[in-house]
């Protein structure tokens, strides 16, 4: 299991924020040797968290997400705090969509004590987890099964989702741009999430701070289409204005 120290977390956040950072600049900032920074970069690159270049590191390609096994442990404490805050606002006897993603999987775990839930998901990990919860009915969408994360996508998935209207659509995304545009990497996954948003009375987005201003290829929607954003850190003044303009409630998990 990949466990990052605080310097490595800060280094990764810096690269994601700036796009590219030189080794020399990182070494001076963290007051460590160039060799230490290069080892950090090598570790993060091996787990597909950033791209290594001669003299520095850059963000990943906009067409490929971080590997699933790395995402399972990356920002895990933050994801769990977000999940607990979101689950605390879900009442018993509610109907839910829950989409793909490691953050939404943490939400599913945090719902273990709820009763009377009806859950529709295209995530096999969530289905396997929640089917053992007492008094919880799980419906699994059909579609093409992705090997890398056991997610179901495609036209069959979208058509299945469109049969339902639920109380809450719980979604994760790969990127929240500074203007509030939501993005992801796989257009088939985007079509599925768009259908979930359309068929939910309330759309709740769970996203840790590393998702802000990451590069991602496919436009999914806008924060104005989201009723509540659950995250782990206060947002920038610019993002607060975007949320206010779209009447999107902000919940910062403690």
């Amino acid at each position: 299991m990949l466990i990052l120290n605080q310097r490595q977390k800060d280094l990764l956040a810096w690269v994601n924020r700036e796009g590219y950072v030189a080794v020399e600049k990182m070494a001076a900032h963290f007051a460590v040797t160039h060799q230490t920074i290069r080892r950090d970069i090598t570790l993060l690159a091996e787990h597909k968290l950033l791209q290594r270049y001669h003299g520095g590191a850059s963000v990943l390609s906009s067409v490929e997400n971080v590997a699933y096994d790395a995402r399972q442990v990356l920002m895990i404490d933050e994801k769990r705090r977000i999940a607990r805050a979101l689950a605390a606002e879900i009442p018993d006897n509610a109907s839910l969509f829950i989409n793909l993603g490691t953050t939404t999987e943490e939400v599913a775990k945090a719902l273990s004590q709820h009763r009377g839930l009806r859950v529709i998901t295209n995530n096999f990990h969530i289905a396997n987890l929640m089917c053992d919860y007492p008094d919880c009915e799980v419906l699994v969408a059909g579609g093409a099964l992705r090997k890398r994360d056991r997610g179901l996508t495609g036209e069959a998935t979208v058509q299945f989702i469109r049969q339902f209207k639920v109380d809450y659509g719980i979604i994760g995304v790969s990127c929240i741009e500074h203007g509030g545009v939501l993005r992801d990497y796989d257009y088939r996954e985007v079509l599925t999430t768009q259908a979930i948003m359309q068929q939910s009375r309330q759309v709740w987005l769970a996203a840790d701070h590393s998702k802000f201003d990451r590069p991602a290829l496919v436009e999914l929607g806008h924060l104005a289409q989201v009723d509540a954003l659950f995250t782990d850190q206060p947002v920038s003044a610019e993002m607060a204005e975007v949320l206010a303009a779209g009447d999107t409630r902000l919940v910062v998990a403690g």
Side-chain angles (χ1 to χ4, degrees), residues 66-139:
V66 176
Y68 176 76
D69 58 349
R71 285 187 286 125
Q72 282 185 298
V73 296
L74 184 64
M75 302 291 177
I76 187 61
D77 291 337
E78 293 86 348
K79 290 175 182 178
R80 286 172 177 165
R81 293 203 308 271
I82 291 167
R84 288 194 295 268
L86 192 155
E89 296 198 18
I90 297 290
D92 288 341
N93 304 304
S95 56
L96 315 171
F97 285 126
I98 307 180
N99 81 336
L100 303 180
T102 53
T103 307
T104 53
E105 288 172 18
E106 291 302 323
V107 173
K109 294 174 185 176
L111 290 168
S112 62
Q113 300 304 310
H114 283 59
R115 295 294 182 269
L117 297 182
R118 299 297 178 265
V119 177
I120 303 159
T121 186
N122 61 323
N123 185 326
F124 260 25
H125 293 293
I126 288 174
N128 287 333
L129 178 72
M130 299 192 77
C131 70
D132 290 327
Y133 291 177
D135 194 22
C136 179
E137 180 181 37
V138 179
L139 300 177

Side-chain angles (χ1 to χ4, degrees), residues 74-249:
L74 184 64
M75 302 291 177
I76 187 61
D77 291 337
E78 293 86 348
K79 290 175 182 178
R80 286 172 177 165
R81 293 203 308 271
I82 291 167
R84 288 194 295 268
L86 192 155
E89 296 198 18
I90 297 290
D92 288 341
N93 304 304
S95 56
L96 315 171
F97 285 126
I98 307 180
N99 81 336
L100 303 180
T102 53
T103 307
T104 53
E105 288 172 18
E106 291 302 323
V107 173
K109 294 174 185 176
L111 290 168
S112 62
Q113 300 304 310
H114 283 59
R115 295 294 182 269
L117 297 182
R118 299 297 178 265
V119 177
I120 303 159
T121 186
N122 61 323
N123 185 326
F124 260 25
H125 293 293
I126 288 174
N128 287 333
L129 178 72
M130 299 192 77
C131 70
D132 290 327
Y133 291 177
D135 194 22
C136 179
E137 180 181 37
V138 179
L139 300 177
V140 183
L145 183 63
R146 296 196 311 203
K147 292 183 179 179
R148 67 176 182 269
D149 62 1
R150 300 300 188 265
L152 290 151
T153 61
E155 184 61 26
T157 313
V158 171
Q159 291 300 324
F160 183 84
I161 287 167
R162 284 180 177 159
Q163 298 178 77
F164 304 92
K165 191 74 172 182
V166 305
D167 299 324
Y168 303 95
I170 312 303
I171 65 170
V173 296
S174 294
C175 165
I176 305 173
E177 291 185 337
H178 64 274
V181 173
L182 309 177
R183 292 188 176 275
D184 224 308
Y185 296 93
D186 187 332
Y187 77 93
R188 289 158 296 194
E189 183 176 348
V190 164
L191 291 174
T192 303
T193 303
Q194 287 172 338
I196 287 174
M197 295 169 71
Q198 292 163 4
Q199 300 303 118
S200 301
R201 296 182 180 89
Q202 287 273 313
V203 178
W204 289 2
L205 171 60
D208 68 73
H209 69 273
S210 71
K211 302 298 179 66
F212 289 87
D213 291 325
R214 289 179 63 194
L217 181 65
V218 189
E219 184 172 338
L220 187 156
H222 194 275
L223 275 174
Q225 299 168 263
V226 173
D227 296 285
L229 168 63
F230 292 78
T231 189
D232 63 296
Q233 290 186 5
V235 299
S236 67
E238 181 182 11
M239 184 58 65
E241 291 181 2
V242 171
L243 293 169
D247 197 24
T248 301
R249 181 167 61 97

Side-chain angles (χ1 to χ4, degrees), residues 2 8 11 23 34-53 56-57:
L2 176 63
Q8 291 162 346
L11 186 157
V23 167
H34 290 197
Q35 290 77 12
T36 296
I37 293 297
R38 290 192 184 99
R39 285 195 295 269
D40 288 344
I41 292 172
T42 297
L43 173 69
L44 296 169
E46 286 175 349
H47 286 83
K48 297 184 179 180
L49 298 176
L50 49 68
Q51 289 182 316
R52 179 179 56 190
Y53 287 95

